[in-house]
Amino acid sequence: MYADILEATVLNNTRYEKDPNRCLAYHVLDDTRAPLSQEQVAVEWSASGKGDDAQAIRVRRSPMRVCAGGDSWINVVIEVSRYLGYNKTFFDILEGYYQTASSAWPGHSFDDMISEKPFRVHVDTGVYDYLVFSGGGNEVLGGVALTKILKDRSAALGSDQPEDFLQMDRLEAILEKLKDGYVEVAEYLRKRAPRTQLLVHGYDYPVAQSDGPWFGRPFVKRNFRFEADKELITGILHYLVDRFYGFLQEVDDQYPNVTLVDIRNVVRGRWTDEFHPDLDASKDIAGFYRNVIDGYPIV
């Protein structure tokens, strides 16, 4: 049935194809089954609409224009992913309140997002007040990346400090690369779209599941025990998310056109899987963004 859903989901003369090697990742193919570039995907996606999902939650009264770029925290391709139990993202919710456009696509790597900048098709027009950008989670919290960062459970027996179970040199290098990428986006907006403010986030504290592809399997592979090591696993994931927010705060402090939206402890266990919020949590996250966009303080 899933293959039928993908085959039937067509954007103009294009169609989706699930990446068999990556979680929640889709490719878009043209009518010759050749993959589209990220910029082509952005154009197709913006032009396609989302059927019923494109309908506003209420009449759009806000004059703000908001575009987005990035990963599956912005776009889970709800037309397909809903059949796997996924819900709307926080940006899907924001689409009901503002004039929006998105170049986000699940499965885009951070390096490709930074080098190709598919969000250019929107921000280069100069009409958008905000760019909501989400990226880098797979480089730190994704299954393969997390496996490479984690040490074996036996590496620090007797310790309860997250740092003792992480390849810190590797982690520091990844975080530095991610920071450089966010700085590049901020600089791009400063030069090419000076009226556009960049809104960023560092995800929320996830809850690992023993069979989960993002967190569970890496911890199992490194010989962590889910019952006995529950607090340690939680501490490691909290540490990684906090470090992500740490470099984003530095970018926020350095660039006046960047605002860090802190959504830690917003999801509070309300996940569709290990790393994607359910609908109620997405609505709450959207509320934090609306406070920033509409000029209200976050409390």
Side-chain angles (χ1 to χ4, degrees):
M1 182 186 74
Y2 189 49
D4 294 337
I5 294 167
L6 289 173
E7 187 68 21
T9 309
V10 177
L11 304 178
N12 299 328
N13 292 322
T14 63
R15 64 188 67 250
Y16 304 131
E17 182 173 274
K18 179 73 175 68
D19 186 328
N21 299 314
R22 304 180 68 184
C23 303
L24 198 62
Y26 304 99
H27 301 299
V28 184
L29 311 178
D30 64 19
D31 53 4
T32 68
R33 305 197 75 82
L36 273 63
S37 69
Q38 289 193 32
E39 189 166 331
Q40 289 172 320
V41 170
V43 172
E44 291 284 341
W45 185 245
S46 295
S48 69
K50 295 187 180 181
D52 292 339
D53 289 308
Q55 300 301 314
I57 296 172
R58 62 172 174 78
V59 176
R60 290 189 176 96
R61 297 190 180 92
S62 174
M64 295 296 179
R65 293 176 178 264
V66 183
C67 62
D71 57 20
S72 58
W73 266 60
I74 301 290
N75 179 15
V76 293
V77 191
I78 191 66
E79 294 84 348
V80 179
S81 296
R82 64 156 55 99
Y83 294 98
L84 299 177
Y86 287 87
N87 296 285
K88 293 180 178 181
T89 69
F90 75 89
F91 194 76
D92 290 327
I93 305 300
L94 292 179
E95 288 180 333
Y97 297 92
Y98 308 102
Q99 298 182 59
T100 60
S102 174
S103 65
W105 195 260
H108 280 175
S109 72
F110 187 78
D111 286 343
D112 287 345
M113 284 189 278
I114 299 303
S115 63
E116 297 183 22
K117 298 180 178 61
F119 53 81
R120 292 179 304 167
V121 300
H122 300 126
V123 299
D124 283 4
T125 64
V127 303
Y128 287 95
D129 300 285
Y130 294 95
L131 167 63
V132 176
F133 185 77
S134 175
N138 281 334
E139 279 64 30
V140 177
L141 299 166
V144 174
L146 181 58
T147 303
K148 291 180 178 179
I149 294 171
L150 281 172
K151 294 179 181 178
D152 190 84
R153 175 65 177 86
S154 63
L157 291 175
S159 174
D160 60 358
Q161 298 302 307
E163 301 94 319
D164 293 335
F165 297 89
L166 297 169
Q167 305 278 359
M168 291 303 296
D169 289 347
R170 181 170 292 170
L171 175 61
E172 296 294 348
I174 292 171
L175 294 176
E176 190 64 30
K177 183 190 78 170
L178 293 177
K179 179 181 177 181
D180 289 344
Y182 276 87
V183 166
E184 186 170 335
V185 176
E187 285 283 0
Y188 184 88
L189 292 184
R190 185 178 66 84
K191 296 175 181 176
R192 299 292 295 273
R195 65 164 289 182
T196 304
Q197 291 285 310
L198 177 62
L199 303 183
V200 299
H201 70 87
Y203 307 97
D204 199 355
Y205 299 126
V207 178
Q209 301 171 8
S210 60
D211 61 345
W214 282 277
F215 313 116
R217 293 174 194 168
F219 278 106
V220 169
K221 188 170 184 178
R222 294 293 182 239
N223 296 308
F224 286 78
R225 300 158 297 172
F226 260 76
E227 291 301 322
D229 296 327
K230 182 177 180 180
E231 290 187 7
L232 177 58
I233 292 171
T234 298
I236 291 171
L237 292 175
H238 279 225
Y239 176 83
L240 291 173
V241 170
D242 287 343
R243 289 298 307 276
F244 205 107
Y245 273 92
F247 82 74
L248 286 178
Q249 186 62 61
E250 293 175 2
V251 178
D252 178 303
D253 293 341
Q254 182 179 355
Y255 287 90
N257 65 335
V258 177
T259 298
L260 172 58
V261 183
D262 190 340
I263 56 172
R264 283 173 288 188
N265 292 312
V266 174
V267 177
R268 299 189 304 278
R270 296 172 297 170
W271 300 96
T272 296
D273 55 18
E274 292 182 296
F275 201 40
H276 295 88
D278 71 12
L279 183 58
D280 287 339
S282 290
K283 290 178 179 178
D284 287 347
I285 294 169
F288 273 64
Y289 274 84
R290 289 186 61 208
N291 284 341
V292 174
I293 294 169
D294 295 335
Y296 298 105
I298 295 177
V299 295

